[in-house]
Amino acid sequence: MVKAREIYEYLGDIMPFDTQEKWDNSGLLVDMDVQTEKILCCLDVTKAAVDKAVEKGCKIIVSHHPVIFSGIKSLDNSSILVKLIKNDISVISAHTNFDRYEFGTSSKLAQFCGLEGEKEQCDFAVTVKLNNPVEFETLLNSVKENTQLTLQYAKGGTVSKVFVVAGSGKSMTEEILAAGCDCVVTGESSYHDMLDLSQMGIGTICLGHDESEKISVETLAQLLSEKFGDVQTLCFVENSLTSYI
């Protein structure tokens, strides 16, 4: 059996919550002070995620995106927070502190895309100095083959070092240039960022915001399974929010 505060303190030891961005709201966000034998890990605390927690008897949810981001002005019976409270379910959210974790979201994304080479943590991102430089189209095809996803991209030139950032890679041009990278792999970017980088010969590959992060749900689950061996940890991964036809 485990309580939410025990999980919160453990995660805080390996990915300190005080490293989160000022605008973020990571932490123990709903504490019902109950013990449980089952934990549900997910990307977002959606209605479907809460329904699954109730179905499986999970009294603690550990999510990447915070269930509470801004001030709450009203609640009604259909609110996810009300459903959590009615079912005595606690929620811990590890967002930008998890992004900064050495084996966090961007590290997992680099692995998912099959990027092999010398890796270095760079704040939210991970840079990968490839073992052998390749043309952008070759890297693009390799990422598509490894992820089996529909990709959005802007062409670049020869790639020797990749800037990998899960979630949103918007407004990170300065960091990309400072790291000496010639390609970006991310969840989402903006048209103008992709255009500006492409003009400099730096290509961008976008997998989709949720597609680039939901792969890290299993990282959270593995960390909790290793620490709390007598507790069952479940992964709940929903279909992508957006898709192409």
Side-chain angles (χ1 to χ4, degrees):
M1 302 285 281
V2 67
K3 284 190 172 185
R5 185 154 294 279
E6 294 176 76
I7 295 174
Y8 169 73
E9 291 174 353
Y10 169 62
L11 292 177
D13 285 340
I14 59 177
M15 52 184 80
F17 285 95
D18 61 8
T19 64
Q20 67 181 287
E21 289 289 275
K22 292 180 180 179
W23 49 261
D24 196 8
N25 193 39
S26 295
L28 178 52
L29 304 184
V30 180
D31 187 4
M32 301 307 297
D33 195 30
V34 296
Q35 290 184 317
T36 186
E37 295 179 340
K38 295 181 179 180
I39 305 166
L40 183 82
C41 294
C42 60
L43 180 62
D44 296 286
V45 186
T46 60
K47 181 181 182 298
V50 179
D51 286 344
K52 182 61 68 173
V54 172
E55 175 192 337
K56 297 296 184 180
C58 301
K59 292 298 184 180
I60 297 174
I61 292 175
V62 178
S63 70
H64 179 45
H65 292 143
V67 65
I68 303 170
F69 237 133
S70 55
I72 299 171
K73 295 184 178 181
S74 65
L75 290 172
D76 60 38
N77 203 41
S78 64
S79 166
I80 288 174
L81 287 173
V82 171
K83 189 175 182 69
L84 289 167
I85 293 168
K86 281 186 173 181
N87 288 279
D88 289 325
I89 298 175
S90 301
V91 178
I92 303 112
S93 299
H95 190 208
T96 52
N97 61 311
F98 183 37
D99 290 332
R100 284 192 164 104
Y101 174 51
E102 181 182 3
F103 304 106
T105 55
S106 295
S107 176
K108 186 69 175 181
L109 178 57
Q111 179 184 347
F112 181 52
C113 292
L115 300 175
E116 298 182 355
E118 182 183 342
K119 295 182 176 65
E120 183 178 350
Q121 189 73 26
C122 184
D123 200 14
F124 295 121
V126 168
T127 61
V128 183
K129 186 177 181 180
L130 301 179
N131 293 328
N132 297 295
V134 296
E135 292 305 310
F136 176 81
E137 288 78 7
T138 301
L139 182 65
L140 176 66
N141 290 331
S142 176
V143 170
K144 184 171 181 59
E145 181 178 350
N146 279 287
T147 64
Q148 295 295 299
L149 294 173
T150 300
L151 307 175
Q152 180 187 34
Y153 67 92
K155 291 183 179 180
T158 303
V159 181
S160 59
K161 192 175 183 181
V162 186
F163 190 89
V164 184
V165 56
S168 176
K170 296 177 182 178
S171 304
M172 298 191 74
T173 299
E174 288 186 9
E175 291 89 338
I176 295 162
L177 296 177
C181 294
D182 35 40
C183 182
V184 181
V185 173
T186 186
E188 62 176 334
S189 187
S190 71
Y191 169 78
H192 290 290
D193 283 346
M194 295 171 73
L195 175 62
D196 291 344
L197 289 169
S198 185
Q199 293 294 303
M200 292 182 274
I202 300 173
T204 302
I205 302 173
C206 299
L207 287 73
H209 191 118
D210 53 349
E211 293 288 359
S212 73
E213 290 186 323
K214 66 185 184 183
I215 53 175
S216 297
V217 171
E218 65 181 40
T219 302
L220 287 172
Q222 183 178 355
L223 287 169
L224 297 176
S225 294
E226 291 173 354
K227 175 64 176 179
F228 306 101
D230 60 337
V231 175
Q232 184 180 3
T233 306
L234 309 175
C235 286
F236 179 70
V237 179
E238 299 184 67
N239 292 332
S240 180
L241 178 65
T242 57
S243 58
Y244 296 92
I245 59 172

